[in-house]
Amino acid sequence: MSVTQAAEEAGEPGRAPSRLVEELESVVIRFVGDSGDGIQLTGTEFSRAVAKAGHDFATHPDYPSEIRAPTGTLFGVSGYQIQFAARQVFTSGDAPDVLVAMNPAALKTNLSDVKRGGIVIVNSGAFTDGNLAKAGYKANPLEDGSLGDFRLYQIDISELTAHALKETGLSKKEIGRCKNYYALGLMLALYSRPLEKEEEDVRRKFAKKPEIAEANVLALRAGYAYVDSTEMFVTSYKVRTAKIAPGTYRSLTGNHAAALGFVAASERSGVPLFLGSYPITPATDILHELSALKHFDIATFQAEDEIAGICSAIGAAYGGALGMTTTSGPGMALKTEALGLAVMLELPLVVVNVQRGGPSTGLPTKIEQSDLLQALYGRNGECPIPVIAANSPADCFDCAIEAFRIAVKYMTPVIFLSDGGIGNAAEPWRVPDPESLPKLEVRFRTDPEGFQVYARDANLARAWVRPGTPGLEHRIGGLEKDFLTGDISHDPANHQRMVEVRAAKVEGIAKDIPPLEVDGPDDGDLLVVGWGSTYGSIVQACEQAAAEGRSVARVHLRHLNPLPPDLGGILKRYKRVLVPEMNLGQLSRLLRERYLIDVIQLSKVQGKPFKVSEIYDRIIDFS
Amino acid sequence: MTSMTATPTLTKKDFESDQDVRWCPGCGDYAVLAQMQKLMPTLGIPRENFAFISGIGCSSRFPYYMETYGMHSIHGRAPAIATGLKLARPELSVWVVTGDGDALAIGGNHFIHAMRRNIGLKIILLNNRIYGLTKGQYSPTSELGKKTKTTPLGSIDRPFSPVAVALGAGATFVARTTDADQAHMGSVLKRAAEHEGTAFVEIFQNCIVFNDGAFAAITDKSVRDDARLLLEHGKPLVFGKNKDKGIRLRGLEPEVVTIGEDGVSVSDLVVHDEASEHSGAAFFLSQFDAPRLPVPLGVFRAVSTPTYEGMNTQLHADARASRGRGDLAALFNSGDLWTIT
Ligand code: SF4
């Protein structure tokens, strides 16, 4: 960390020349406030600003399931955490260096996470007796010395925003809604980001309501100016830009990335996409995104329920479209019977489960990865379905294409697991050249000569026939069918043969799975195996331990059914295997059962992602 | 194929699949199958453009016997599957064959929403007022007091009328016929086939094994004319063996009158208007039930409203007209971009 004079910053407008600029490797900032305070917007805007400055970043939105919980209450607190750095960023960070708290409840619920000595910026105007009481504070923490461990900045954001906007003629309520832009202005100034680009963004975002746009710009400017015009902050901060592969980037959430991946799958196969879906948190954004793309070959259908979501997709797949449905845990449970039908029909279908805390309604807005075994086994009968999982927001793009690649090649439903953390969090996505993306080969059968409904190719896939093709009229259904003709069959030997061939078909997908990339030594004390959104925390924990000379390697699984063919050999090269999971050990169970090895489980089910330190602490126990 | 080759004329035989029909001998389903196979070649639609989708139940075996595209799916879900198929392939003629349990119990939600949307499906409900495949339990259309294996002391479930449910859901074509009157069934199915939007047809179907004679009063030739009311568009509601009975309104209450008695003439009777803008008149008819009133058969409602698939196609056309055909590179490169060099 180096401290230099602010003269370096001379090129940037409006900077007070006397302030010190402290250079940082990385910063973790958490914005917290009422769910109606616009916290998610502030966080998103801030992450865009740092991304444009060339930083890598990762975010974690954390919001209550109530849309507008009563103001000032503990359960109504919404948060948005971002880490940005001069190096590659894998997680939104363990402990915030900076907390921006818009009211007492937000302070109370988040303070314990903040680094000792960290910066706490509070909207002191919200620390009224009423709000303090709602948050359960007996004494005002701004006055009783309880924040002594932190660098506390009290700024009456409510009042300062009102003052800045007094000429606008807006109502008190409307002015109150601009507070978040004041806070954003503060942070942009403190972290040495220019204001102009953000102003343009605000004007664009509120183009339909110019008076609100101007009010937000005023609030933003006032917050920005506050840092410069007061003596309060003696230092501002600068994070060097990261070394990122050259290219064009944009910030994408996992759900948005998945949507783009599905469009790509359609365009690269030349087959129309059909999404049948029922709104459910945290998966709905995929439906939102695709619904807006009617100028592509994309049909979206908001079904009457979860079952109709998947069933309409099955109908579309029968009609020769890339059928898909999106959901989260409880919705997945409802789709179970139809998934069995899709397995029997042997039609391509992609089912996205953006997992959330369960069981039942569980924790709709919180992160968990506890639907793995449901994805593998949650159906009646022997009902194998390939399962893949994304490890980051940007990875959802690739997984969406991979899901359809498997579905059409093997004529099978595929379950694509994401989770609320990945789905809603954003990270930079390097915009690919569409021509560089895999082409999905789809050939509909049109030749009636020798057609048998369940005849199979070398991949054990049957032919895909579009209704409307003369001479290929045929019936399929959920009853067991003859191995070749597809006619109903209750023959005992035929049933065994069909059960086995459906299993063999899915097992056979393993031959397409590329070799696993092991990060670290080829053998040693410890291998950390992960899947899904634990990726970032695992990478950082392993890097940290390896840098200290620990004998640790890691591998991350995208394919969970079938498992990669080389996994068994890799597992055996290490003395111990550690599996961190946001469930009670579902992958651990699979690995034990499949490879007859012991596995150290590291479980977390708190609706929050792993902290790097939580994984690191276990690594150093075994390496 | 050369341009000289005309499309071969199809016959009923062309729509009979090679599968053995497995309904109980004497089941009313046979008559429906025969009428359907007879109707298909008359519609001028290539055979490969038909798809029959069904759920679970005796009636849901139907697709296996039709030499068309078809799917025997899962219980109650046929309208949802058919909706996806019709949206993906609006040019296909998509038929749903269902039963009283399949459509009205387990699949009630999909059933009403298909009609609410007015998606171009032909939904044929074979109502036998019993669960046949599971061997004789009461269904949502079984009458109050019905004794079955699950209601040994008589059912306390009030039945509902499929026609009334369909009308309540906003169906644009609603009709009723019986398995016993081939000519009537044939004409009703033809009307359904020609309707744009959801066409719903309830067919009274005799389950000879578990509910034999459930509709005898309406289908038995010796008594049916006094128990049924054949609906004809623009004609007064007249019924009876001697065509001397009619329906007259007293306020909003229907009453049976005899033409020629007490000064009643045909001009006093309600005139059936299947094209009435609102579905009130059709709903009024859907409430007619034996023994107080004759049971109406025929087309209750047939109105023209934009179809769901048609509007969906239009949305896509409009989007393309205003934005141009979607381009992947342009989509990727939209939004807030930054470049790292
Ligand atoms: S049980 Fe009844 S409805 Fe089913 S096939 Fe036999 S007669 Fe027909």
Side-chain angles (χ1 to χ4, degrees):
Chain A
M1 218 179 272
S2 69
V3 178
T4 46
Q5 283 297 318
E8 277 185 16
E9 300 281 303
E12 293 197 28
R15 295 232 68 88
S18 61
R19 199 184 331 279
L20 293 176
V21 175
E22 191 177 323
E23 212 169 87
L24 304 172
E25 264 300 299
S26 69
V27 183
V28 178
I29 300 174
R30 187 185 292 177
F31 297 91
V32 280
D34 259 330
S35 52
D37 273 345
I39 292 298
Q40 300 302 323
L41 183 63
T42 312
T44 312
E45 292 294 305
F46 190 77
S47 58
R48 277 167 22 154
V50 301
K52 284 186 189 166
H55 297 295
D56 196 12
F57 70 90
T59 67
H60 177 63
D62 185 13
Y63 52 94
S65 50
E66 295 80 8
I67 300 301
R68 285 279 157 88
T71 54
T73 57
L74 296 173
F75 64 88
V77 173
S78 168
Y80 190 101
Q81 182 164 315
I82 170 169
Q83 170 162 230
F84 62 105
R87 49 168 168 75
Q88 219 184 336
V89 176
F90 295 98
T91 72
S92 63
D94 282 7
D97 301 297
V98 184
L99 181 74
V100 181
M102 299 301 280
N103 68 12
L107 180 69
K108 180 146 193 192
T109 44
N110 287 277
L111 188 67
S112 61
D113 293 341
V114 181
K115 268 192 197 139
R116 299 291 116 178
I119 294 175
V120 173
I121 298 173
V122 295
N123 171 18
S124 56
F127 281 64
T128 60
D129 290 347
N131 281 343
L132 287 165
K134 273 192 229 168
Y137 276 119
K138 296 218 162 57
N140 188 342
L142 306 183
E143 290 161 3
D144 67 1
S146 60
L147 300 175
D149 282 351
F150 305 94
R151 280 184 280 167
L152 175 68
Y153 295 94
Q154 300 188 41
I155 304 172
D156 191 343
I157 296 176
S158 307
E159 173 55 32
L160 289 165
T161 307
H163 183 73
L165 270 56
K166 66 176 188 294
E167 309 283 307
T168 58
L170 294 182
S171 71
K172 227 176 139 191
K173 200 166 158 198
E174 285 167 323
I175 288 175
R177 290 220 189 96
C178 298
K179 287 199 301 283
N180 58 333
Y181 275 99
Y182 191 97
L184 181 63
L186 278 177
M187 297 309 284
L188 291 174
L190 206 49
Y191 287 89
S192 314
R193 303 286 16 117
L195 194 57
E196 290 73 15
K197 281 186 192 155
E198 187 55 36
E199 289 188 9
E200 286 167 26
D201 280 350
V202 176
R203 290 206 174 91
R204 213 175 314 127
K205 188 174 277 301
F206 294 93
K208 288 199 184 114
K209 294 181 190 158
E211 53 317 326
I212 301 292
E214 283 321 303
N216 281 329
V217 166
L218 282 178
L220 184 74
R221 280 190 194 152
Y224 199 88
Y226 185 84
V227 173
D228 288 334
S229 58
T230 65
E231 301 279 296
M232 190 178 251
F233 297 94
V234 288
T235 316
S236 59
Y237 305 89
K238 188 172 168 99
V239 178
R240 275 186 296 110
T241 52
K243 279 192 201 69
I244 299 173
T248 303
Y249 286 80
R250 64 189 282 196
S251 170
L252 282 188
T253 63
N255 283 340
H256 195 169
L260 293 185
F262 291 123
V263 183
S266 167
E267 293 291 300
R268 297 296 287 166
S269 61
V271 180
L273 183 76
F274 178 95
L275 167 62
S277 180
Y278 187 76
I280 185 170
T281 304
T284 319
D285 279 343
I286 304 177
L287 174 59
H288 292 163
E289 293 294 342
L290 291 174
S291 297
L293 299 178
K294 296 208 176 351
H295 57 315
F296 284 87
D297 281 335
I298 293 173
T300 54
F301 171 61
Q302 182 176 318
E304 57 271 22
D305 58 28
E306 292 280 357
I307 297 171
I310 184 169
C311 284
S312 60
I314 289 172
Y318 182 60
L322 296 181
M324 64 171 290
T325 185
T326 50
T327 190
S328 185
M332 199 66 186
L334 285 165
K335 294 182 195 296
T336 301
E337 187 194 13
L339 272 170
L341 176 68
V343 167
M344 282 300 249
L345 299 178
E346 303 197 37
L347 284 170
L349 180 77
V350 170
V351 180
V352 185
N353 177 358
V354 185
Q355 299 165 95
R356 62 193 222 184
S360 186
T361 313
L363 298 169
T365 59
K366 305 294 178 194
I367 176 174
E368 203 165 281
Q369 43 181 191
S370 47
D371 297 346
L372 176 60
L373 293 181
Q374 178 199 38
L376 263 84
Y377 301 123
R379 291 167 292 280
N380 64 309
E382 296 288 350
C383 195
I385 294 183
V387 179
I388 63 170
N391 66 33
S392 76
D395 191 44
C396 287
F397 177 81
D398 298 321
C399 283
I401 298 175
E402 173 67 357
F404 267 118
R405 185 194 67 80
I406 296 173
V408 298
K409 179 170 176 184
Y410 293 91
M411 292 291 283
T412 177
V414 174
I415 294 174
F416 166 10
L417 295 175
S418 168
D419 67 42
I422 295 177
N424 287 315
E427 70 175 357
W429 176 66
R430 191 163 155 212
V431 178
D433 173 4
E435 290 305 313
S436 71
L437 300 172
K439 246 187 164 354
L440 306 187
E441 280 291 330
V442 174
R443 278 211 310 275
F444 293 104
R445 176 156 185 150
T446 53
D447 183 6
E449 195 55 41
F451 173 62
Q452 298 280 10
V453 183
Y454 272 76
R456 293 166 192 280
D457 66 11
N459 297 313
L460 300 178
R462 72 179 192 92
W464 196 3
V465 178
R466 292 169 88 239
T469 311
L472 292 182
E473 292 87 347
H474 66 278
R475 278 64 56 195
I476 52 177
L479 284 168
E480 186 59 286
K481 41 194 62 28
D482 179 79
F483 187 78
L484 205 57
T485 62
D487 292 343
I488 301 171
S489 168
H490 293 130
D491 178 68
N494 179 74
H495 179 52
Q496 172 133 8
R497 197 175 177 200
M498 286 299 271
V499 168
E500 286 172 358
V501 79
R502 287 188 287 262
K505 178 172 84 166
V506 172
E507 273 308 309
I509 295 167
K511 67 180 182 293
D512 288 0
I513 301 177
L516 285 169
E517 284 174 31
V518 179
D519 186 10
D522 283 343
D523 48 35
D525 287 346
L526 185 67
L527 177 72
V528 184
V529 183
W531 70 279
S533 70
T534 52
Y535 177 75
S537 310
I538 293 175
V539 170
Q540 270 190 280
C542 287
E543 277 181 358
Q544 203 177 319
E548 292 162 11
R550 304 282 178 164
S551 168
V552 57
R554 56 155 207 96
V555 70
H556 212 79
L557 306 180
R558 170 184 282 178
H559 297 88
L560 293 148
N561 191 38
L563 287 162
D566 53 348
L567 179 60
I570 293 169
L571 291 172
K572 297 205 162 73
R573 303 205 300 256
Y574 300 85
K575 287 190 196 124
R576 311 295 292 268
V577 173
L578 173 69
V579 183
E581 288 181 273
M582 290 182 289
N583 58 47
L584 293 183
Q586 301 193 6
L587 177 64
S588 303
R589 186 183 285 252
L590 284 180
L591 296 182
R592 285 193 195 108
E593 181 250 12
R594 176 73 186 262
Y595 301 106
L596 301 177
I597 55 158
D598 195 22
V599 161
I600 305 155
Q601 275 175 230
L602 174 56
S603 294
K604 181 172 184 180
V605 277
Q606 299 175 1
K608 290 173 161 187
F610 274 109
K611 289 182 177 170
V612 174
S613 60
E614 288 165 341
I615 297 174
Y616 171 83
D617 288 348
R618 290 302 275 167
I619 292 175
I620 61 170
D621 285 344
F622 297 101
S623 60
Chain B
M1 226 185 269
T2 67
S3 55
M4 298 292 288
T5 327
T7 323
T9 322
L10 297 170
T11 64
K12 175 168 182 281
K13 270 228 133 342
D14 292 308
F15 287 87
E16 294 170 3
S17 81
D18 60 357
Q19 301 294 300
D20 297 332
V21 182
R22 301 241 182 120
W23 289 309
C24 306
C27 173
D29 291 358
Y30 284 94
V32 183
L33 179 64
Q35 276 310 311
M36 195 66 85
Q37 288 166 336
K38 209 169 128 190
L39 171 70
M40 296 286 107
T42 69
L43 297 174
I45 298 171
R47 187 176 66 173
E48 63 271 17
N49 280 1
F50 286 104
F52 278 78
I53 313 292
S54 67
I56 294 293
C58 290
S59 57
S60 288
R61 291 278 178 130
F62 206 94
Y64 287 120
Y65 311 135
M66 297 293 297
E67 187 55 28
T68 61
Y69 284 92
M71 187 193 295
H72 176 216
S73 76
I74 45 178
H75 209 5
R77 315 303 168 202
I81 292 171
T83 294
L85 176 59
K86 184 72 182 174
L87 275 177
R89 302 287 307 283
E91 75 277 20
L92 299 178
S93 175
V94 182
W95 295 67
V96 169
V97 182
T98 183
D100 36 322
D102 193 57
L104 298 172
I106 196 166
N109 203 28
H110 312 306
F111 178 70
I112 58 173
H113 285 279
M115 291 178 292
R116 172 175 70 83
R117 296 188 183 103
N118 195 34
I119 184 155
L121 307 176
K122 323 295 170 200
I123 302 179
I124 312 302
L125 190 158
L126 279 62
N127 180 12
N128 55 19
R129 298 187 136 183
I130 198 79
Y131 282 10
L133 195 64
T134 49
K135 304 197 170 78
Q137 301 78 26
Y138 74 105
S139 89
T141 55
S142 297
E143 56 279 20
L144 206 55
K146 174 106 184 154
K147 286 195 174 162
T148 70
K149 285 176 197 156
T150 49
T151 51
L153 303 178
S155 168
I156 55 170
D157 278 32
R158 296 167 61 221
F160 53 23
S161 148
V163 164
V165 174
L167 289 166
T172 54
F173 180 93
V174 179
R176 182 192 280 154
T177 185
T178 82
D179 60 1
D181 190 339
Q182 302 288 314
H184 190 261
M185 190 195 331
S187 69
V188 164
L189 288 176
K190 191 166 179 66
R191 289 283 312 274
E194 286 159 1
H195 180 72
E196 305 252 324
T198 313
F200 171 69
V201 179
E202 176 191 16
I203 303 182
F204 289 155
Q205 173 249 322
N206 192 40
C207 171
I208 197 165
V209 177
F210 296 108
N211 205 13
D212 194 20
F215 304 105
I218 302 149
T219 57
D220 187 327
K221 286 207 171 103
S222 61
V223 291
R224 69 183 190 188
D225 291 333
D226 286 328
R228 68 180 196 177
L229 169 64
L230 293 173
L231 301 173
E232 282 181 84
H233 181 53
K235 300 269 174 66
L237 300 180
V238 172
F239 68 105
K241 198 170 275 172
N242 306 319
K243 297 212 182 306
D244 58 349
K245 291 191 180 128
I247 304 294
R248 184 174 70 177
L249 269 183
R250 195 172 2 164
L252 285 175
E253 279 300 313
E255 62 178 357
V256 175
V257 290
T258 305
I259 299 162
E261 272 179 22
D262 301 329
V264 173
S265 77
V266 171
S267 63
D268 295 323
L269 304 181
V270 178
V271 175
H272 179 47
D273 179 8
E274 65 182 30
S276 166
E277 193 79 5
H278 68 84
S279 56
F283 193 81
F284 162 81
L285 288 169
S286 77
Q287 301 301 299
F288 283 27
D289 207 355
R292 203 174 74 80
L293 291 161
V295 176
L297 299 175
V299 177
F300 288 67
R301 183 168 204 236
V303 294
S304 172
T305 309
T307 66
Y308 190 69
E309 69 277 13
M311 290 193 288
N312 187 53
T313 304
Q314 191 58 48
L315 287 181
H316 283 80
D318 292 349
R320 275 189 197 188
S322 68
R323 301 169 72 177
R325 166 73 172 81
D327 174 73
L328 205 48
L331 176 69
F332 287 173
N333 286 285
S334 60
D336 246 327
L337 301 166
W338 67 92
T339 307
I340 306 281
T341 46

